[in-house]
Amino acid sequence: MVFNSFDFAIFFSIFFLGYWLVFNRKTIWQNSFLLIACYVFYASADYRFLLFLLGVSTLNYWIGIQLVKSKWAKWFFRLGMLQGILSLFLFKYLDFFIQFLSKLIGAFGLHAEWSTLQLIAPVGISFFTFRMLSYLIDIRNEKTEPCRNPIVFFSYVAFFPSLLSGPIDKAQLLIPQLEKQRNFDYEMAVDGLRQFLWGLFKKVLVADGCVAFTNLYFDGFEDYGASTLLLGAVLYTFQIYADFSGYSDMAIGISKVMGLRITKNFDFPFFAQNIAEFWRRWHISLTSWLTEYVFTPLSIQFRDWGNNGLILAILVNFLLVGMWHGANWTFVLFGLLHGLYYIPLILTGKMNKRKKLSKDKRWPTAKELMNMSLTFILFMVSMILFKSPDLEAAWGYFTGIFDKSLLGMPAIPISRFMLIVVVAGIFVMLFVEWLQRKKDHGLVLSGVKNSFVRLAIYYGLVYLIIRYGSWDNNQFIYFQF
Amino acid sequence: MKKFLMKLFWLLPIMLFVVFVNWKQDPANLFRSEEYIGKIASITLSGKQATEVTNFDERNYLRKMISSLPVKPKTIVVGASRSLMIDQGMGGDSSLYNASLSGGSLEEILAAYYLFRQAEVKPERVIISVDPWLLNDHYDSDLWKELEPEYLSCLEMIGAKEYVYEPVNEWSSSVYWELISLSYFQESIQRFVRGDTKDIVSTEQQFNDGATKRCDGSYMYPIGYRGRSPEMVLRNAESEIAVKDVKGFEDFKVLSKKRKVIFQKLVSYMASEGADVVLLFTPYHPITYDYFKRTPRYQVVFQADTYFRKLGKELPGVRCSGSYDPEYYHFDNTNFYDGVHCDYEAVGLIMEQLVQEGKKP
């Protein structure tokens, strides 16, 4: 059940009425109803793993309490970590390691033909596992208290707006909100709807519009010239941003309508001045998770090694970012590449420098524009790895761009009009987000006082979405992670 | 809360607009289906051709036509769009009726045959266009549901009772859901922008600028489709294989056992009724065929080929004609409209061979 579907519209309408009009009198009713809705939502995505979700939630709930009251707390903590890491390893990485080890042993002339398990990974496993890992680590570090209300904890783990594709909310943010009774907040709900609308625009018009082209170009890259491949890479970079940030906007918007604030996941990353700033603005909930639990402890550990220690910590951190996306060498290299991008910034001491964009200026300066373009190109190169099924295909695609046909016209095997719509959609998205870059999301209209103008903006956007959006229920890319 | 709900009412004009445009334009003639197919049927039943036809409910039309055919056909053609252009001029039989359906599946072949038998038509020759997806359990089409009662009755008739089930009325399949469909709205707007609202025209001419449904059940594509340049055909063939699943091959990994049993029972039954049953293989575009050959997951095409040919050899009264391989007919890019459909002349050559084979002792 994707957010941009008729099924979800029905599901959420029923949920909304029940949540605010029927079960709103007591917190326990509200949360119980929320929990049921979360499990219905998850079951609609993949009912086979509902029991798994329930099982790991129960285990982590129990471990969380043991961490503060049991004399075996250290061992309970290890059990919790083991469960989370083992689940991820088993479902996502085991086959990859089996294949890797078979090849490695084969390279030494030995024969090892191990069969893979080919297990199907539960939908959203990376997201809910990270949630529970951070919960246990934070209890151990005394940053948060264990949640003693099972309904609240289970709702936190299975919180449906962010269950399948994030953001990865920390317990300190969501659990206290769930423990209190929510009262309907008109301003917050309306803002949530606006954010949802903006996310929907990005998803159905930009991301899904790009899909037809990028699938064609990447699947048959051998048949296309350099300019076409470059166009494919550019479109895919915008596609993944529009898809994932669109989903995040919708998830945050839905949460606001429910009276809950969840983690901001994107902060207009294409306006970043360098790759370090880019990662502070892209998939914020994952990067801040890894910064807190991986990068910071590692950099403290390696601090005696100076810049070398910092580089090592960054490389490990980004290898994990890559691996988090899946068990494939393309993702490993994706992470490594981003780690390498950081080296010049570390050596020149620019890694943590924050530059404020064109303060009070309407347009970016030439230098800012150049920095943004360079950051975009670096990210786009890594996106070739992200989209390709294997390293060979990625290399083929990448080298295919450097050809004399780069100056030719790109091939457009499907409707040119569709491409025009997609490109126009990208421009609208970038233009609006540039104007709104200091705001919470692309459709904060606090500056527009005239209600007719506001209404015209809503109607215009809705019309564009309905008229030119893709309504074939394309899945969100990040569901697979 | 009240204020918020009131705000949501601003969405109502948009919803109403969508419903209005969908109803008014109705690009697939869903809401005026009976009236629309009634018009086509009255023209074709009078022996003329109906041109400028756009999307129409082919299944319902077929039901209407077969029950009222003025002449009982001796030759019938069943299958999907790849056999839709076979006409009376090609079959060596002026009574031929083509009951092929766009996107036709095994269920529809059974249903069409049952419709003929119900109308007391006992064909002397049945030409079945054997597309590989007839044996695909995951073929992504539910258009056949329109003919579900006939399909189930045919299963009983051919002795495949074990596969008969109690049909379920699905509320979600009502065409009126399309009133609020956003993809249907996009089609409606396109139709409005194109001014594509021509009415059906009755004509004696076999070839017309618009799409034509002929009185023998065959279908002639509009001139824009028939007149594609070789480059366009090639590009189209390439784009058709550059997708996750070529149309009809959705999740098609093995030949369905159930479908094999049903198909075998069907052709045996037809043969036992005295018909010359021809399993017709129509060729794919060279690009598509080559792609099938070199892609492991499309080996089902060749498994289906082997299976159908085995039936042709083993079952009395059943024979095979043609090939999926374009090389068999020496066809190249110029003999196709796209990656899966031969052009009209090519279909004529295929049928010429079929008729010649039928004359051999």
Side-chain angles (χ1 to χ4, degrees):
Chain A
M1 193 164 18
V2 290
F3 292 160
N4 52 314
S5 68
F6 190 61
D7 294 351
F8 183 77
I10 292 180
F11 166 81
F12 192 69
S13 303
I14 295 168
F15 172 77
F16 179 86
L17 295 175
Y19 184 79
W20 285 122
L21 298 177
V22 184
F23 300 101
N24 61 332
R25 307 241 168 93
K26 283 185 178 174
T27 315
I28 188 167
W29 294 359
Q30 218 170 20
N31 284 335
S32 303
F33 186 62
L34 171 64
L35 184 60
I36 291 167
C38 290
Y39 285 153
V40 169
F41 183 83
Y42 190 77
S44 76
D46 198 337
Y47 67 90
R48 292 170 300 179
F49 292 106
L50 193 56
L51 270 180
F52 174 78
L53 180 64
L54 204 64
V56 291
S57 302
T58 310
L59 182 68
N60 281 274
Y61 168 73
W62 179 67
I63 291 175
I65 292 171
Q66 298 308 315
L67 286 184
V68 290
K69 74 171 196 188
S70 170
K71 59 177 179 174
W72 303 101
K74 197 166 79 176
W75 290 100
F76 279 115
F77 178 73
R78 286 176 186 169
L79 176 69
M81 292 296 108
L82 192 70
Q83 177 275 315
I85 294 165
L86 214 60
S87 296
L88 282 177
F89 184 77
L90 187 70
F91 284 112
K92 289 189 72 172
Y93 305 107
L94 185 59
D95 283 355
F96 175 70
F97 278 99
I98 290 173
Q99 284 169 346
F100 173 62
L101 280 179
S102 298
K103 278 186 186 167
L104 194 70
I105 291 170
F108 286 104
L110 298 167
H111 182 72
E113 217 169 75
W114 298 323
S115 54
T116 52
L117 296 182
Q118 296 183 340
L119 294 175
I120 301 165
V123 182
I125 185 170
S126 304
F127 294 96
F128 63 73
T129 304
F130 266 47
R131 248 181 227 183
M132 288 185 285
L133 287 175
S134 70
Y135 169 71
L136 296 182
I137 298 171
D138 286 350
I139 295 175
R140 192 195 61 164
N141 293 344
E142 295 176 5
K143 284 185 182 171
T144 189
E145 284 289 307
C147 177
R148 291 175 194 279
N149 183 333
I151 296 172
V152 168
F153 181 75
F154 285 29
S155 303
Y156 158 66
V157 175
F159 185 62
F160 77 83
S162 54
L163 176 61
L164 304 181
S165 286
I168 307 163
D169 300 302
K170 297 200 68 181
Q172 298 100 301
L173 176 73
L174 200 51
I175 288 180
Q177 293 184 73
L178 289 170
E179 282 171 338
K180 279 187 271 177
Q181 191 177 338
R182 272 80 66 198
N183 293 314
F184 189 77
D185 180 337
Y186 171 78
E187 291 300 333
M188 192 173 168
V190 169
D191 187 49
L193 280 190
R194 283 194 205 111
Q195 192 160 2
F196 184 89
L197 185 62
W198 183 240
L200 192 63
F201 171 81
K202 287 198 274 188
K203 168 64 181 162
V204 300
L205 206 135
V206 181
D208 290 350
C210 290
V211 170
F213 295 96
T214 55
N215 281 354
L216 266 181
Y217 295 152
F218 274 85
D219 290 350
F221 70 90
E222 300 101 331
D223 305 330
Y224 293 108
S227 58
T228 312
L229 297 185
L230 181 64
L231 174 68
V234 171
L235 288 179
Y236 187 68
T237 310
F238 283 117
Q239 178 191 330
I240 201 146
Y241 168 68
D243 188 276
F244 193 21
S245 74
Y247 178 90
S248 296
D249 275 337
M250 285 191 255
I252 296 168
I254 291 164
S255 307
K256 283 179 181 172
V257 175
M258 293 158 66
L260 296 160
R261 285 192 190 279
I262 59 173
T263 316
K264 185 176 181 174
N265 220 14
F266 287 86
D267 188 17
F268 313 118
F270 289 143
F271 307 139
Q273 295 292 292
N274 60 41
I275 208 75
E277 195 190 337
F278 179 90
W279 278 103
R280 285 195 289 271
R281 292 161 170 262
W282 177 278
H283 202 170
I284 297 167
S285 63
L286 175 70
T287 42
S288 56
W289 196 102
L290 285 167
T291 303
E292 186 172 348
Y293 302 115
V294 178
F295 174 71
T296 307
L298 278 182
S299 53
I300 292 169
Q301 194 81 21
F302 302 152
R303 66 186 152 196
D304 296 341
W305 303 350
N307 275 348
N308 291 341
L310 204 54
I311 289 170
L312 190 61
I314 279 285
L315 287 176
V316 173
N317 189 58
F318 274 96
L319 274 177
L320 286 177
V321 168
M323 288 289 285
W324 179 89
H325 288 93
N328 192 327
W329 286 109
T330 53
F331 291 128
V332 174
L333 205 63
F334 165 82
L336 187 67
L337 190 62
H338 277 279
L340 293 174
Y341 286 162
Y342 266 73
I343 295 177
L345 297 173
I346 294 172
L347 295 178
T348 53
K350 287 181 183 167
M351 192 176 98
N352 290 319
K353 275 193 181 162
R354 285 163 196 265
K355 286 181 184 173
K356 287 217 168 164
L357 269 172
S358 295
K359 236 181 175 181
D360 305 324
K361 276 188 199 161
R362 183 163 289 214
W363 304 110
T365 62
K367 194 182 170 201
E368 283 170 346
L369 208 57
M370 215 173 70
N371 288 340
M372 285 180 210
S373 307
L374 185 66
T375 310
F376 180 85
I377 291 168
L378 291 176
F379 185 65
M380 184 186 76
V381 169
S382 73
M383 281 291 102
I384 295 173
L385 283 162
F386 204 89
K387 171 77 173 159
S388 300
D390 52 50
L391 289 179
E392 200 185 338
W395 181 247
Y397 194 101
F398 181 71
T399 50
I401 294 178
F402 298 98
D403 183 271
K404 61 178 187 294
S405 59
L406 189 61
L407 299 173
M409 283 297 284
I412 303 162
I414 38 180
S415 159
R416 274 168 200 276
F417 180 72
M418 211 170 126
L419 184 65
I420 293 168
V421 169
V422 169
V423 173
I426 291 171
F427 274 108
V428 170
M429 175 179 80
L430 291 178
F431 178 69
V432 170
E433 294 205 336
W434 173 259
L435 293 180
Q436 301 283 73
R437 64 192 180 279
K438 289 174 196 160
K439 310 260 173 68
D440 192 31
H441 57 85
L443 213 59
V444 176
L445 297 180
S446 47
V448 184
K449 299 292 175 208
N450 189 322
S451 55
F452 284 107
V453 176
R454 274 213 304 271
L455 205 61
I457 292 172
Y458 298 145
Y459 273 177
L461 208 55
V462 169
Y463 180 75
L464 287 177
I465 289 169
I466 292 176
R467 174 70 181 89
Y468 297 111
S470 170
W471 294 101
D472 300 328
N473 275 349
N474 281 317
Q475 284 279 17
F476 289 88
I477 295 173
Y478 266 68
F479 271 15
Q480 62 188 295
F481 307 132
Chain B
M1 174 63 92
K2 219 182 245 174
K3 195 176 162 193
F4 181 77
L5 291 175
M6 290 301 284
K7 270 245 152 118
L8 288 180
F9 271 103
W10 284 104
L11 284 172
L12 203 62
I14 297 173
M15 295 275 285
L16 291 176
F17 179 66
V18 169
V19 170
F20 173 75
V21 173
N22 282 349
W23 174 259
K24 191 79 186 149
Q25 290 298 320
D26 193 16
N29 297 302
L30 294 175
F31 314 121
R32 281 170 278 272
S33 178
E34 282 298 321
E35 187 190 329
Y36 195 75
I37 61 172
K39 265 189 200 171
I40 304 173
S42 71
I43 294 169
T44 50
L45 282 170
S46 69
K48 291 182 179 169
Q49 335 300 340
T51 190
E52 299 297 348
V53 295
T54 51
N55 296 317
F56 65 100
D57 183 350
E58 290 178 65
R59 279 84 190 152
N60 220 347
Y61 169 80
L62 189 69
R63 186 183 277 138
K64 208 178 197 91
M65 283 301 291
I66 293 178
S67 63
S68 343
L69 283 174
V71 179
K72 286 184 181 168
K74 289 178 185 161
T75 303
I76 61 167
V77 183
V78 284
S81 61
R82 279 156 42 84
S83 54
L84 251 177
M85 281 191 296
I86 297 172
D87 62 22
Q88 287 175 343
M90 298 171 179
D93 175 4
S94 59
S95 73
L96 175 145
Y97 192 83
N98 191 338
S100 302
L101 295 164
S102 310
S105 62
L106 179 62
E107 289 86 348
E108 282 151 323
I109 289 179
L110 269 87
Y113 182 66
Y114 183 78
L115 282 169
F116 282 114
R117 296 298 291 118
Q118 205 180 23
E120 292 174 359
V121 173
K122 202 173 176 183
E124 290 171 14
R125 177 178 287 166
V126 183
I127 299 169
I128 307 175
S129 173
V130 282
D131 291 305
W133 63 76
L134 298 186
L135 305 175
N136 181 7
D137 267 340
H138 307 283
Y139 179 44
D140 187 20
S141 169
D142 57 0
L143 292 170
W144 65 272
K145 290 265 181 186
E146 180 84 39
L147 295 172
E148 194 175 26
E150 287 83 0
Y151 163 64
L152 294 172
S153 302
C154 191
L155 283 177
E156 286 215 354
M157 185 176 82
I158 63 172
K161 279 184 188 163
E162 64 271 34
Y163 297 115
V164 178
Y165 55 88
E166 198 59 45
V168 184
N169 272 333
E170 287 177 38
W171 63 275
S172 61
S173 65
S174 166
V175 293
Y176 290 98
W177 282 111
E178 294 298 331
L179 280 174
I180 51 168
S181 159
L182 299 180
S183 45
Y184 201 64
F185 174 76
Q186 292 175 340
E187 287 293 322
S188 302
I189 289 280
Q190 261 178 30
R191 184 180 160 133
F192 176 73
V193 171
R194 281 199 308 259
D196 182 16
T197 49
K198 285 182 189 166
D199 208 359
I200 305 163
V201 177
S202 167
T203 174
E204 300 275 355
Q205 276 184 200
Q206 298 279 346
F207 299 93
N208 302 286
D209 287 355
T212 307
K213 190 70 185 169
R214 292 145 136 199
C215 60
D216 59 7
S218 65
Y219 177 82
M220 186 52 61
Y221 292 102
I223 195 162
Y225 200 74
R226 300 195 314 263
R228 283 178 166 183
S229 68
E231 293 75 33
M232 270 179 82
V233 172
L234 194 64
R235 217 165 59 195
N236 201 282
E238 284 170 346
S239 68
E240 278 170 5
I241 58 169
V243 290
K244 189 170 161 269
D245 294 306
V246 173
K247 178 79 189 134
F249 291 86
E250 300 84 6
D251 209 12
F252 192 9
K253 290 175 187 149
V254 287
L255 305 186
S256 155
K257 279 184 192 162
K258 171 188 144 189
R259 284 165 185 276
K260 283 202 291 190
V261 173
I262 293 173
F263 187 79
Q264 186 168 341
K265 288 199 173 186
L266 173 72
V267 291
S268 300
Y269 183 86
M270 287 168 169
S272 73
E273 292 271 283
D276 167 29
V277 182
V278 186
L279 307 185
L280 174 65
F281 296 78
T282 49
Y284 282 94
H285 187 284
I287 291 263
T288 315
Y289 188 73
D290 182 55
Y291 179 65
F292 287 162
K293 268 203 306 193
R294 63 186 159 85
T295 313
R297 66 150 297 195
Y298 288 104
Q299 294 316 299
V300 279
V301 173
F302 306 100
Q303 289 165 17
D305 181 288
T306 309
Y307 169 73
F308 289 132
R309 288 191 192 282
K310 192 167 163 254
L311 288 188
K313 268 187 197 157
E314 289 177 358
L315 299 179
V318 182
R319 64 185 169 98
C320 293
S321 178
S323 172
Y324 294 142
D325 184 358
E327 192 51 41
Y328 177 83
Y329 294 101
H330 307 294
F331 285 172
D332 59 23
N333 183 50
T334 57
N335 297 103
F336 289 85
Y337 289 148
D338 56 32
V340 292
H341 297 103
C342 293
D343 68 13
Y344 181 72
E345 285 73 26
V347 175
L349 289 171
I350 294 165
M351 287 301 292
E352 200 178 301
Q353 184 173 325
L354 183 150
V355 174
Q356 288 303 319
E357 287 167 354
K359 285 177 185 165
K360 282 180 194 167

